[in-house]
Amino acid sequence: MSEMGMQGFMAPAANLEEAGSASAILAAPQNALGSENARHPIGFVRDVAGSSSAIALDLARLEQCSADLDPSVSMSGKVGSQIKIRVGNSWLLASVRTQRQDTTVDGGVVAQIDFLGEGEEERLTGKIYGFRRGVTRYPVPGALVYPATSNDLRQIYASDGRTNISIGTVFPTRDIRAGLYVDALLGKHFALLGSTGTGKSTAAALILHRICEMAPSGHIVMIDPHGEYSSAFRVTGQLLDVSNLQMPYWLMNFEEHCEILITSSGTDRQIDEDILAKCLLAARMKNRLAEQIGKITVDSPIPYLLSDLMIILQNEMGRLDKGTNSIPYMRLKTKIEEIRSDPRYQFMFSGMLVGDTMAEFISKIFRMPANGKPISIIDVSGVPSEITSTVVAVLSRLVFDYAIWARDEETRPVLLVCEEAHRYVPSEKNSDGSSVGRILSRIAKEGRKYGVSLGLITQRPSDLAEGVLSQCGTIIAMRLNNERDQAFVKAAMPEGARGFVDTIPALRNRECIISGEGVSIPMRVSFDELEAIKRPASNDPSFYELWSKSGGEDRAVERTVQRWRAQSR
């Protein structure tokens, strides 16, 4: 370290001697203490590298700062805190990643830091302004390190004028608001990650409520596999489940038809698919719409009657030579009859859904017009488990296909939010080859070109398909308990956020690390408290309270059995 740097670094000690002792300083008025600690360095730069560097910290100075009323100053030098380094007439902001004791350096502590960005200094006030991400001028070894104050962080985290939603407060401050830039958040997709019980569902509801408040004419579709979010969006959302979804079966493309109607595998499956393709196209061709359009394909969303499909299958089977096997035709007929007679499939395969309601269905699902309810919550918890992924595939594909075919219209972006995303976009080892994984992966890769935004919510990011998380421009990570999940998220985070990622296992409930396009720089955020009426129904039951009460169990069992048998809520 240079002589000048050493003198600057030792300046706080000289001031301490003038005041008599460290205790005398700590006994001084708090406003003086705050300015005193912020004015004097707490260490110096030791090593410089492209993205991260090492600094030496004075343990005595850190102890002095820890008693400061300014929470940012009191956290200075500790893991997860921010510090600043003077470079010429500007300040370089960095985040502390690690700390270790080292008796070979002045002060006794060495810390690894990650550079976040830089800002200019106002000559009269000393405030930071014009903060921007990235580094153009690096410090040299020996440059002094100072605490970042709450005023500094206020300038750094302040909105740059882009439209944003406020979701909480920046840690460790008490009053600096944390904002998400809406266009960047939605334009490049986002992921919300967190273990069960960390407040993930409430955080998702908070973000979506803020977006709905900002854009009451928005278009948001949320796939809700557990029926949690209906209670949160009673007022601002259109709630859809098996009782009122009325999703026409003929909207499915050929691949989705195969997932539901074909039960065979191997070479038999290929035979069944060829038969179904021929008969399905013939059934669609019987509609007058097909005559008007002219050339249609087996994927065209043209209404057809299931009874027509059955008749065509029967006729095709009647044309067979005696030596030709009729079993594939019988397999398809049996499956169609089974679905038609099963009350659980009525929301999709009802005879009432034959009319051409495609425009009406899309308007209802996509909220076009929104009519004051910009979000549709699609509760698929009542959908039979064997076709849940196909139903989600149809809804997701409709979002993407609509965006593609609406390119000649004024763009109406749609946000598709998928809860429990690891179930629908699984990693290669867990993949069953279903269509939902392919369509969601395609939306992740190409959606932003067409105005389709994807929001993925999951408790198991390591089980997501490779590459899907990396397509998410903004990552909101709550506490993750599993080491594999932590490593997966760490790999997807930008370089400057690595220090924040190390704190993920230590996050409290309703806290998160946000990094990526939706924020100016990576930040640790405490989410706002959400009003009870706006929270999802995802609270953990209190075993003690519920097991302390008795009475009415026999009637409850009877009612449950009745609903169970009727397969209806």
Side-chain angles (χ1 to χ4, degrees), residues 290-316:
E291 296 173 13
Q292 295 168 16
I293 294 169
K295 186 178 180 182
I296 69 165
T297 71
V298 73
D299 287 327
S300 300
I302 303 289
Y304 72 90
L305 290 168
L306 282 173
S307 55
D308 282 346
L309 182 59
M310 296 277 282
I311 291 167
I312 291 166
L313 277 167
Q314 185 69 44
N315 291 342
E316 287 293 317

Side-chain angles (χ1 to χ4, degrees), residues 447-470:
R448 63 187 185 86
K449 300 174 189 172
Y450 304 105
V452 178
S453 177
L454 186 62
L456 300 177
I457 305 170
T458 179
Q459 56 186 302
R460 292 306 306 271
S462 61
D463 286 345
L464 273 175
E466 300 292 332
V468 170
L469 192 59
S470 63

